[in-house]
Amino acid sequence: MKLLVVGAGGREHALCWKLAQSPKLTKLYAAPGNAGMASVADCVDVGAEDVAGLVDFARDKGIDLVVVGPEAPLVKGLADQLNEAGIPVFGPSAKAAQLEGSKGFTKDLCTRANIPTAAYGRFTNLDDALAYVGREGAPIVVKADGLAAGKGVTVAMTTDEALDAVREAFDGRFGDAGTEVVIEDFLEGEEASFFALCDGTTALPLATAQDHKRVGDGDTGPNTGGMGAYSPAPVMTPELVDQVMATIIEPTLATMKADGMPYKGVLYAGLMITADGPELIEYNARFGDPECQVLMMRMESDLLELLYAAAKGELKGKRVAWRDDPALTVVMAAKGYPGAYDKGTAINGLDDAASNADVEIFHAGTALQDGQLVATGGRVLNVTAVAPSVAQAQALAYAAIDKIDWPDGFCRRDIGWRAIEREDA
């Protein structure tokens, strides 16, 4: 089979790395890819949001399956265009991708399907939103309705902070994404990431994971796209997994199908494990980044086979095999991230850092310039390790990081701390 993976980040590098192991694969392309993906795929100069260009490329090359990594091309209708061209695609239609593209859409679906989630209000008018915050008080959560690259959510611990967040959204901080805001009750508990492969009718749960959103050690500082992750997430017991499937994932799939927008692809549920059980924080229409990296390190099954079955509506009866050993990934980011940072800084020492067979380094924002590897993004490398315990995987990952020569990079030094505390207990 000939495959095209769409995207240029660490998530897509991990998908390419895993897909390249399939005996069914004959050719792998990445559009646009990055310096790390070039080791396992042919990188092609077509942007991830160039829908027409991607469809033309897939048609010209006789691609058998397109795997879409990021959410933006899905919301723009890439899957619809590929389906119209008769090209199988792993990823939801534009209508189904509203689960990520509109937080209000998802909250309304939860109400109709009786899915546990925080109470909320939807607002397109500044004064109404401010009045709602005034009535509800804090803590409270303010979200831009649309895609805001993970930066449109404010967990406000004071009323003033919430009012400022509402004003910022309506003042255009998030562009069109903030023309509507969703304001939710604050949920108390522990967060977990839950993933299921979906074919429109059947949902197949994947391994659990947990990521670290804040930039600083001890979960301090501003939110980011994710500074590290590990799998499995000890908070997600087998009983909780069954509960999430029965009360959140399966009702979502059934409702989407009944509404004429069957969901195909990976469904990523951000959960809060509260005293009352799991509640849905939000949905994403793609793999988490960096959760995908730890899932791919642990997966023993043929990923190509699974993604193709999802695209073709043939997941029923499929199973996924996993390594028992946990995996952990640490994000190396450019100094200044998630604020302003320099691009083009030199990175060296990766071959030595990845010399251990249980360590993989996935590239999230890199390029080769005149033979020199340089950083091109905020999150740049995902140093990933697998070992018999989370503590050992953490030690392996940080030992690899210490071999990387990149003075302009930084990372958190406590990834996996919750799981390690449980191991030590």
Side-chain angles (χ1 to χ4, degrees):
M1 290 178 67
K2 288 190 249 182
L3 263 66
L4 169 63
V5 172
V6 176
R11 166 183 50 217
E12 290 79 31
H13 186 184
L15 290 170
C16 284
W17 173 81
K18 186 63 183 168
L19 289 165
Q21 298 167 21
S22 173
K24 294 182 169 65
L25 183 75
T26 53
K27 189 71 180 175
L28 181 59
Y29 297 97
N34 64 33
M37 291 158 79
S39 64
V40 288
D42 283 4
C43 295
V44 294
D45 190 19
V46 184
E49 295 182 45
D50 180 0
V51 172
L54 291 165
V55 174
D56 287 346
F57 179 85
R59 191 189 283 117
D60 292 347
K61 294 294 184 183
I63 297 295
D64 297 298
L65 176 68
V66 177
V67 178
V68 186
E71 64 276 13
L74 294 168
V75 172
K76 287 179 77 169
L78 176 57
D80 306 77
Q81 296 291 318
L82 288 164
N83 282 320
E84 281 179 27
I87 300 163
V89 54
F90 178 79
S93 67
K95 281 186 175 179
Q98 288 179 96
L99 283 174
E100 177 163 5
S102 168
K103 293 179 174 63
F105 172 89
T106 297
K107 298 296 284 192
D108 288 353
L109 177 135
C110 288
T111 300
R112 295 200 312 279
N114 200 28
I115 291 166
T117 190
Y120 70 103
R122 294 180 71 173
F123 302 94
T124 54
N125 175 283
L126 172 63
D127 291 338
D128 291 346
L130 294 174
Y132 184 85
V133 170
R135 285 196 306 274
E136 296 294 321
I140 198 164
V141 182
V142 179
K143 298 180 176 180
D145 178 71
L147 295 181
K151 297 177 178 66
V153 177
T154 300
V155 180
M157 301 313 289
T158 67
T159 302
D160 284 347
E161 192 183 352
L163 295 173
D164 287 346
V166 169
R167 291 189 190 97
E168 278 189 347
F170 282 112
D171 282 348
R173 181 182 173 192
F174 307 111
D176 291 344
T179 54
E180 178 174 339
V181 298
V182 174
I183 305 175
E184 300 180 353
D185 285 0
F186 174 78
L187 292 176
E188 193 83 54
E190 186 171 339
E191 285 192 51
S193 304
F194 189 87
F195 300 88
L197 298 182
C198 304
D199 69 0
T201 304
T202 300
L204 181 64
L206 298 180
T208 61
Q210 193 162 42
D211 77 341
H212 300 65
K213 285 288 186 214
R214 293 191 181 270
V215 73
D217 285 13
D219 293 326
T220 55
N223 269 334
T224 69
M227 294 302 292
Y230 56 91
S231 172
V235 67
M236 290 299 295
T237 62
E239 294 75 23
L240 264 180
V241 168
D242 291 344
Q243 192 178 348
V244 169
M245 288 297 290
T247 64
I248 297 176
I249 303 295
E250 285 164 1
T252 298
L253 220 57
T255 304
M256 293 294 283
K257 186 177 180 182
D259 288 350
M261 48 185 94
Y263 190 94
K264 290 185 175 185
V266 64
L267 192 54
Y268 164 11
L271 303 175
M272 185 69 77
I273 311 306
T274 73
D276 298 323
E279 297 199 28
L280 182 71
I281 301 170
E282 64 180 11
Y283 271 132
N284 293 310
R286 36 72 190 181
F287 280 104
D289 188 349
E291 294 99 330
C292 184
Q293 289 82 315
V294 288
L295 294 181
M296 293 306 106
M297 285 288 277
R298 292 188 60 224
M299 184 182 285
E300 290 182 332
S301 300
D302 186 333
L303 180 66
L304 192 164
E305 201 176 281
L306 290 167
L307 301 191
Y308 191 68
K312 300 291 280 184
E314 297 168 359
L315 272 181
K316 193 170 184 182
K318 296 283 186 191
R319 293 287 177 267
V320 191
W322 302 95
R323 286 181 68 163
D324 290 334
D325 289 350
L328 180 142
T329 190
V330 179
V331 171
M332 290 197 76
K335 284 180 179 171
Y337 175 83
Y341 54 84
D342 290 335
K343 292 186 178 182
T345 56
I347 304 169
N348 294 295
L350 292 196
D351 288 346
D352 187 28
S355 58
N356 188 309
D358 290 322
V359 173
E360 292 291 336
I361 299 177
F362 299 115
H363 293 228
T366 65
L368 276 177
Q369 291 180 1
D370 301 322
Q372 172 66 57
L373 186 71
V374 299
T376 58
R379 294 188 298 165
V380 176
L381 298 170
N382 310 134
V383 182
T384 313
V386 63
S389 71
V390 178
Q392 288 167 287
Q394 185 198 59
L396 262 185
Y398 284 116
I401 283 169
D402 290 338
K403 295 177 181 176
I404 295 173
D405 177 14
W406 182 31
D408 295 282
F410 79 99
C411 66
R412 278 182 58 166
R413 283 277 166 179
D414 64 345
I415 300 302
W417 66 269
R418 278 196 183 90
I420 291 168
E421 278 186 358
R422 282 189 169 93
E423 286 178 348
D424 291 342

